Amino acid sequence: METLILTNDENGINKAGEIIRNGGLVAFPTETVYGLGANSLSSDAASKIYAAKGRPSDNPLIVHVCCKEDIYKIAADIPKAAETVIDMFMPAPLTVILKKKDIIPDTVTAGLESVAVRFPADETAQKLIRAAGVPVAAPSANLSGKPSPTKSKHVIADMNGRIDAIIDGGDCEVGVESTIIDFTGDVPVILRPGGVTKEDLEKQGIEVHIDKSILNSLSKSEKPKCPGMKYKHYAPDADVTVVEGEKTAVRKKIKELIGNTDKITGVLTMNGADYDNAVILSAGGTNKEYAKNLFSALREFDELGVEIVFAEFCSDDGYGLAVKNRLYKAAGGKVIHV
């Protein structure tokens, strides 16, 4: 398959919308990461997403809309708490899980009676959904299990020859996938942390709980209600270990670990740090910067031939929970507490 690289302008977006409308696949930028879009009203089109990514069929997709009103066309029995969050925050790096209407096929929801819905803030994403004329089902535009793409070159590396087109929209602003809140139970629950934080919600008087799977994957017998809950995610080819604790202790431990291996070693550091005999990449000085740079850094370690990555983590406030979630998943649970 020849993959078209489309410009981020009216012609490119209209062409991409036509491809989606006709049952094809298009990768496109959002404020979080690049998404891999298909017509969410077509079971056949959604199936192509799973095939292109190598994605397990029990891992549900997120449906993207371009206005709040469209949420009510695909979701049923929307509770007051969800309406409040939709009105206060959307468009945003935020996904809500609601009971679905029959218009959304089971292929999109992996057989669940709920649907994950997102109204992205990114202008290109909104224009594409309008051009397609249908809600767009879209997980991240990477091979399943790999770090999510935050630059068009990441999408090209993973998806060239697998999908119909890629819209080159530059770098993504947030850098980690949307916050996902489940509104199908008695109390709203964050299933995946992201650009809208628990603190952001609580400042608006919205009480939410945190799901246990944020730092621990589901068992093989459990069915995920949203992406990222069950399978190993965000992992580069290099073997990742998270070293968590007070900064001085973390850096002392990483230096010790570097000294005990003869493999090509990388360190993902905050605020910069000196490590001998290692490839050092900076994640920035704040957790918000860490979130934006995380996936790109993990991919860069692979490009540099790094075999082992030690990732510093020192604080889980604000964006920190989103960073911690992705690091834990990328490391497959290999975490050293100091």
Side-chain angles (χ1 to χ4, degrees):
M1 176 186 291
E2 179 185 358
T3 299
L4 302 175
I5 308 299
L6 302 174
T7 52
N8 185 23
D9 56 19
E10 184 176 356
N11 288 336
I13 291 170
N14 286 339
K15 177 63 176 176
E18 179 185 352
I19 291 170
I20 288 177
R21 193 164 54 251
N22 292 332
L25 300 183
V26 176
F28 63 98
T30 77
E31 72 274 26
T32 57
V33 301
Y34 273 78
L36 178 55
N39 181 354
S40 68
L41 306 184
S42 167
S43 182
D44 289 343
S47 295
K48 293 178 183 178
I49 292 177
Y50 291 96
K53 284 176 60 73
R55 182 183 179 91
S57 61
D58 66 343
N59 202 3
L61 307 175
I62 293 175
V63 177
H64 293 63
V65 298
C66 59
C67 64
K68 295 177 184 179
E69 291 73 21
D70 284 353
I71 297 173
Y72 294 82
K73 296 177 183 178
I74 61 179
D77 302 326
I78 301 176
K80 182 63 178 176
E83 289 185 338
T84 299
V85 169
I86 290 167
D87 289 341
M88 282 188 171
F89 288 95
M90 288 188 173
L94 175 67
T95 295
V96 292
I97 294 183
L98 306 163
K99 293 179 181 178
K100 83 178 185 76
K101 290 184 176 178
D102 291 341
I103 191 173
I104 300 296
D106 288 346
T107 307
V108 170
T109 64
L112 297 172
E113 294 301 315
S114 58
V115 60
V117 189
R118 172 156 136 70
F119 176 14
D122 183 85
E123 187 174 321
T124 298
Q126 291 181 14
K127 288 180 178 179
L128 172 62
I129 299 164
R130 283 195 291 271
V134 292
V136 174
S140 53
N142 56 287
L143 291 172
S144 187
K146 294 298 182 183
S148 299
T150 57
K151 303 174 184 288
S152 58
K153 69 175 185 178
H154 301 157
V155 185
I156 293 169
D158 280 11
M159 290 291 141
N160 192 28
R162 290 174 171 266
I163 63 176
D164 297 284
I166 299 167
I167 299 176
D168 186 348
D171 295 356
C172 299
E173 180 183 354
V174 177
V176 291
E177 300 84 351
S178 60
T179 302
I180 298 179
I181 308 175
D182 181 10
F183 286 97
T184 62
D186 295 333
V187 179
V189 178
I190 293 178
L191 301 183
R192 184 178 72 186
V196 175
T197 67
K198 185 174 187 287
E199 291 84 350
D200 292 333
L201 294 160
E202 289 175 341
K203 284 178 183 176
Q204 300 299 326
I206 300 165
E207 180 186 358
V208 290
H209 293 178
I210 301 290
D211 190 83
K212 64 176 183 177
S213 68
I214 280 180
L215 299 179
N216 299 285
S217 295
L218 298 178
S219 68
K220 290 182 179 180
S221 63
E222 293 179 281
K223 194 163 188 175
K225 296 194 72 172
C226 75
M229 294 185 71
K230 184 174 183 179
Y231 299 96
K232 186 177 181 181
H233 273 61
Y234 323 119
D237 294 334
D239 186 58
V240 178
T241 297
V242 182
V243 184
E244 180 179 349
E246 188 273 328
K247 186 182 296 183
T248 301
V250 163
R251 292 180 174 174
K252 180 180 179 181
K253 182 63 177 179
I254 290 177
K255 289 178 181 179
E256 174 189 322
L257 293 167
I258 293 171
N260 290 332
T261 181
D262 57 2
K263 293 186 176 181
I264 301 172
T265 304
V267 179
L268 186 55
T269 177
M270 288 187 70
N271 292 314
D274 292 327
Y275 292 99
D276 295 329
N277 302 314
V279 176
I280 303 170
L281 294 180
S282 174
T286 66
N287 279 328
K288 187 172 184 178
E289 292 174 346
Y290 204 150
K292 182 174 183 177
N293 296 324
L294 173 58
F295 291 144
S296 181
L298 292 178
R299 284 179 175 266
E300 187 173 350
F301 280 126
D302 281 346
E303 292 170 6
L304 295 171
V306 168
E307 298 171 282
I308 297 175
V309 173
F310 298 115
E312 297 181 354
F313 187 77
C314 302
S315 172
D316 59 6
D317 62 308
Y319 269 74
L321 184 60
V323 173
K324 190 174 184 176
N325 166 259
R326 273 49 170 208
L327 283 175
Y328 274 43
K329 301 286 185 180
K334 295 189 293 293
V335 181
I336 297 173
H337 298 274
V338 295

